[in-house]
Amino acid sequence: PVAVYTNPTILKWMLDPLFINQEAGHWPFKYSIHDLGLFPNATGHDDGNDEKQPLEECGDMLIMTLAYAQRSNDNAYLSEHYELLKQWNHYLVNDSLIPMNQISTDDFAGALANQTNLAIKGIIGIEAMAQIANRTDHVKDGKHFTHTAHKYVRKWMDFGIAETSDNFTLPHTTLAYGMNNTYSLLYN
């Protein structure tokens, strides 16, 4: 967030290596790479052998790319990377509402299916892609992605919020769907 508010170009500089690497075909999967390797060599993982956080990273990339464009008014950057952003969004549309078993920033829990935080990050990412589509004159995509995000968030509220449980008297978000005696601090 500091980069977005102080100098959005810093955010672009952080995003560029990820776009360059994946657009050059140096990552064998359709979702966003988690890391490019150890400093100072950002050589990536051509073999796909890195810590996989597909939903987390696709959501992050869409949200951060939109944040950069909003603060800098650089819609050309969105257009330049539109196909890859749309590819990552496709992953989110397929996996956000009911996240598969995977790790996330909440890695204290290990790999876990149906993580409430991952689901909402993916849904926010889909809405970010809707705004990216609108900013790049892909209006039909924008309407479709907005409709999807709004439909998903209504379902997410049913899946990810427990009205009460043995340990809680108030509604609360859960670590994962159906785990009503857990809670999640929504970092998204």
Side-chain angles (χ1 to χ4, degrees):
V2 170
V4 171
Y5 291 104
T6 59
N7 183 355
T9 303
I10 294 170
L11 187 56
K12 180 184 181 293
W13 293 336
M14 293 179 350
L15 293 166
D16 280 345
L18 294 162
F19 282 121
I20 291 166
N21 183 275
Q22 196 154 351
E23 288 170 344
H26 297 300
W27 176 241
F29 301 107
K30 296 291 185 186
Y31 52 81
S32 179
I33 191 170
H34 175 67
D35 73 79
L36 288 175
L38 298 174
F39 180 82
N41 298 319
T43 54
H45 298 276
D46 293 4
D47 59 1
N49 190 21
D50 84 326
E51 186 176 66
K52 291 168 185 59
Q53 295 186 17
L55 202 158
E56 183 93 45
E57 300 308 336
C58 287
D60 287 345
M61 291 299 290
L62 289 165
I63 294 164
M64 290 190 318
T65 304
L66 175 63
Y68 162 72
Q70 287 173 326
R71 296 296 287 188
S72 66
N73 204 28
D74 186 355
N75 292 336
Y77 192 73
L78 300 177
S79 294
E80 178 183 353
H81 301 294
Y82 189 81
E83 290 307 313
L84 185 56
L85 293 164
K86 190 173 177 182
Q87 175 182 306
W88 291 333
N89 186 65
H90 182 72
Y91 181 86
L92 295 179
V93 168
N94 288 333
D95 199 54
S96 287
L97 184 59
I98 310 293
M100 69 176 186
N101 190 38
Q102 59 189 278
I103 60 173
S104 71
T105 299
D106 282 345
D107 58 2
F108 66 86
L112 184 63
N114 302 321
Q115 291 182 59
T116 304
N117 264 332
L118 274 183
I120 198 63
K121 177 178 277 188
I123 295 165
I124 292 167
I126 295 167
E127 180 59 32
M129 186 64 204
Q131 292 183 39
I132 290 168
N134 290 333
R135 293 176 74 101
T136 56
D137 297 324
H138 294 90
V139 178
K140 185 176 177 183
D141 282 351
K143 287 180 183 177
H144 174 69
F145 300 146
T146 292
H147 173 77
T148 301
H150 291 199
K151 179 175 72 173
Y152 282 13
V153 81
R154 287 189 297 274
K155 290 181 179 182
W156 176 87
M157 290 174 69
D158 289 336
F159 295 158
I161 299 175
E163 292 302 319
T164 60
S165 68
D166 294 341
N167 296 329
F168 302 93
T169 57
L170 297 173
H172 62 281
T173 56
T174 60
L175 178 61
Y177 300 160
M179 296 177 71
N180 292 350
N181 284 323
T182 65
Y183 69 94
S184 177
L185 299 174
L186 292 177
Y187 61 85
N188 293 310

